[in-house]
Amino acid sequence: MVSEKMQDALNGQMNAELYSAYLYLAMAAYYEDSDLPGFANWMRVQAQEEMTHAMKFYDYLVQRGARVALDTIEKPPFDWESPLDVSERVLEHEKKVTGLINNLVNLAMDEKDHATNNFLQWYVAEQVEEEESVGAVLQKVRLAGNSSSGLLMVDAELANRVFNPPAAQK
Ligand code: OFO
């Protein structure tokens, strides 16, 4: 059993993960329109990962006999100024999500809900990886600066990113 407060908080985070998927799909569409298919691929892969993050919350709620409650997903932005702008927004968003996960851990600790705390530790580790990988892409985009060839090199690299299905994840 999880408390009602925890149930609401977990449902809230599931919604935030769905929003992340929605945001990254919107960014993928921006990149498709900008003729940067590698960046678009990266964002699509990120969106797929966010769906698995959401489904882990869904499955945990079911496992604990709690009620899954789907809510409205906020409308994501439609446009960005540049690939640099998108990359900065992605890192900013991931830092925000890290804060949300930390707040959930704080709640689990306050409630002495050890099972939920243990479940959330997967996300604590995942956020470290997310911030690192997004930060690395941002750095490359910064280095490319105004050079189209530099940007196309990053694009070619990001075209190779593949989605690792949940079974292959830790
Ligand atoms: Fe779910 O990690 Fe990104 O938002």
Side-chain angles (χ1 to χ4, degrees):
M1 278 294 285
V2 295
S3 71
E4 203 174 321
K5 190 172 176 186
M6 181 57 79
Q7 173 181 276
D8 292 347
L10 292 170
N11 272 305
Q13 188 59 33
M14 179 178 66
N15 183 271
E17 302 288 348
L18 290 169
Y19 174 73
S20 296
Y22 224 35
L23 174 65
Y24 294 160
L25 276 180
M27 289 171 164
Y30 162 81
Y31 279 132
E32 297 283 8
D33 193 52
S34 307
D35 294 324
L36 289 167
F39 279 94
N41 172 64
W42 176 49
M43 282 291 108
R44 281 176 188 240
V45 168
Q46 289 292 115
Q48 283 177 291
E49 283 186 10
E50 297 301 346
M51 284 303 299
T52 69
H53 296 175
M55 289 311 295
K56 277 175 87 80
F57 279 103
Y58 189 113
D59 290 339
Y60 182 70
L61 284 159
V62 171
Q63 189 179 21
R64 301 314 308 277
R67 187 70 166 93
V68 171
L70 295 171
D71 205 343
T72 309
I73 302 169
E74 190 189 328
K75 183 178 177 178
F78 176 74
D79 215 358
W80 288 269
E81 283 171 20
S82 61
L84 177 61
D85 182 33
V86 179
S87 304
E88 284 174 343
R89 297 289 84 78
V90 174
L91 183 58
E92 191 176 87
H93 181 69
E94 286 303 329
K95 285 182 176 173
K96 185 177 153 199
V97 172
T98 298
L100 295 175
I101 296 292
N102 288 344
N103 288 344
L104 274 178
V105 172
N106 290 343
L107 177 62
M109 288 170 79
D110 286 349
E111 294 197 353
K112 298 185 174 52
D113 182 344
H114 299 289
T116 300
N117 188 6
N118 182 53
F119 164 74
L120 290 170
Q121 292 308 309
W122 183 89
Y123 289 89
V124 172
E126 178 70 9
Q127 284 310 119
V128 172
E129 282 183 26
E130 291 273 68
E131 285 189 31
E132 183 188 20
S133 84
V134 170
V137 172
L138 172 58
Q139 191 54 21
K140 285 176 185 174
V141 174
R142 278 191 180 135
L143 283 171
N146 292 326
S147 150
S148 311
S149 56
L151 206 56
L152 287 175
M153 276 174 67
V154 183
D155 191 65
E157 186 195 322
L158 294 176
N160 296 323
R161 295 278 169 101
V162 289
F163 171 61
N164 291 317
Q169 290 182 341
K170 324 186 260 297

